[in-house]
Amino acid sequence: MQPTWRLWGEERVDGAIYTVYLKKVRYHRPTRSASSESDDEISHLEWETVRVRFVKAGTVERLVEALATDDGELESTYVNVFLATYRSFAECGRVLDLLLRRYEALASEEVLPTAIDTSQQHRKTLVACLHVWLDTYPEDFRQPPHHPALQQLLAFTQLHLPGSELHSKVLQKLAIFSAEHNGGGGGGVCLAPGMRLAAHHTSAYRLPHVPHRHFAEQLTRMDMELFKKLVPHQCLGAVWSRRDKDRSHDAATVLATVNQFNAVSFRVISTVLVEPNLRPLERSDILAAWLDIARELRVLKNFSSLKAIISGLQSNPVYRLRKTWALLTKEKAELFEELARIFSEDNNRWAQRELLMREGTAKFADTVGENDRHLQKLLHERGSPGVSHGTIPYLGTFLTDLTMIDTAIPDTVADGLINFDKRRKEFEVLAQIKLLQGAANAYHLPSDPMFDRWFDSVIVLDDREAYQLSCQIEPQTNPPKERRPKKMNDNNTHGHRKNDSIASTSSSNSSQFYCETDGAGNAWKRDSLERRSSPTRLSHGSSSSSLPSLDVSLSSANSGQKPNGKAGGASPAHPNPNRTGPDFYIIRVTYESDCVETEGVVLYKSIMLSNNERTPQVIRNAMLKLNLDGDPDGYTLAQVLPEREMVLPANANVYYAVNTAYNLNFILRPRRPAPEPALNGKPRSKRA
């Protein structure tokens, strides 16, 4: 059987590059005319080859023109990709203006009688695009108080399409948006609870004596409400990884999901540590209660709160409580291992992706690993429940994929044309999120105000407080001389080990969450990330603490190495001295900013470091990636190490200067002015 599609090549026109395919289609025999002399004149023709073009790259104008095919027909796949991703390269107002001008140009130009039908079809297609845009992405037109884009569209429909369905739809949207603005509600996003809330509520719930299934259902209800409100295109790397003040608006629904994830993790930590006078057995019962809740979340297919609970249990302040973990029953310790294995980073998070593929749109949870004995037993006991469930994914996986696409694939190609093939790859990820959002409608979970009061009443500890309480509960015996290994097989903890998929922070302030927008490495080394804005060294206690976070990291620490035959395992803690070094490293750079909107957020951008780049060139590359202007000489670059920062010399070969035994995390800072020279060994005093 010959393939239906065959790549022909590329076609370049002014302002666009097309990928051209030859498609084999069945020949449609024309109607036989009365004058035809032969009945089988073309009967031997069964197939014909047609030429199909797909936009590979182009200017914004060309991309808007491509919303209709050469014949004027609607190309639905292209329209969906364009509308889902255009915010990465153009503003809503510009795209709308180009689309409306395109319609007006088609309506006013003089065409041959034979081309009238094609011109009309083009215009119908553009109107259909406007319908899809309004129905699928109404938030693009919500621009209070006056909604200029919607007003522009209204003026257009009044002139060209009065009384049409599109005209009525625009009027309806404008009325809804105006009512929302005047009423002061309906248009915003309800963010998750804050990081520190006063315990002024009373609640009948008290860990560990809580209904595990009910707690899991209530956490799922909270996650479901946020996930269904999530705007997929806000997850795009070009949107999510921005650090400017518009990020809190342009990625508001993503931030809401991140905040909820962190709220759950911090409550796990707080409930374990907040009462230092508990006996170890009582504290162990709290760990067991959270594991039982996590088990129920697995049945409900809520991977977001499940990951948040595992992150909280694996945070340093909780994880270091060896005596408490040692009192867990063997069954509970094995259950913890099975749940943590879901989020292993091995093979690009293969286990988690396999679960989403198998259960994402299924009615029930029915996929477990061969070694997941406790989960197998649980699902067998539950049988086939009568109530089907949706799926709530761990959003960090999708943010990782989208950030990797944004980092690895250039935005433009030759002549500065917008790389639309990149947008197609991004759309594949966004489509998965959209599909899971539809599946989330299967949840039907009642709300429990008493649970909400309990959730809000938990006092959240910052990282310093959590670590101090942890040391008060179990004092340090010997201060660690180096980082703990990634996996700890300690017989006293029933094989409990720290999973390598947890990102953590260790900062002197109360950081809300840590988000690696790109870059990577093993998370057991991420305990050292560590200072968001303070250049001073942290105290020993603080530097050893860590809090969980929405992990959006990429496995790229060894991206310059050739495959060794093993499938994507985690990289070793220390490089093998007998192995030849990679041709390049992928390093992660963050910019120290005083921006209030991003307070408490650590955002990394990845850049490639080759073996001949010096400090000024690396700083210049980082500035380009972080959208910074100015002279590279006005900045310094420092590698973040566990106990200090290493500032790179002004003209060092960065490839050989970095310490590759740790994650390649760097901080870019404006260079501080040099201190004034001292006189007679004393600093020069300033005159009044």
Side-chain angles (χ1 to χ4, degrees), residues 295-303 342 354-370 372 375-385 387-391:
R295 180 185 62 178
E296 297 296 337
L297 288 167
R298 172 65 186 91
V299 176
L300 290 168
K301 299 193 296 178
N302 180 356
F303 297 102
I342 294 173
E354 182 74 6
L355 277 179
L356 285 180
M357 183 181 299
R358 291 178 179 269
E359 298 184 9
T361 56
K363 292 183 178 180
F364 315 111
D366 60 1
T367 303
V368 292
E370 296 179 0
D372 295 341
L375 291 178
Q376 287 177 347
K377 180 181 178 181
L378 174 66
L379 296 179
H380 178 72
E381 291 175 351
R382 294 290 172 87
S384 297
V387 179
S388 62
H389 304 302
T391 301

Side-chain angles (χ1 to χ4, degrees), residues 273 283 317-325 470 473-474:
L273 301 175
R283 201 176 312 280
V318 174
Y319 173 70
R320 64 175 297 280
L321 301 177
R322 295 175 179 268
K323 295 178 182 178
T324 302
W325 283 100
S470 179
I473 294 167
E474 290 190 23

Side-chain angles (χ1 to χ4, degrees), residues 115 121 213 248 273-274 348 464 513:
Q121 183 60 48
R213 173 79 177 185
S248 58
L273 301 175
V274 76
N348 193 21
R464 188 182 298 273
F513 67 92

Side-chain angles (χ1 to χ4, degrees), residues 59 81 140 168 192 290 372 374 384 437 468 481 539 552 676:
T59 62
V81 175
D140 289 0
S168 300
W290 279 116
D372 295 341
H374 295 279
S384 297
Q437 284 181 307
Q468 288 174 348
K481 296 181 179 180
S539 66
V552 239
E676 296 184 6

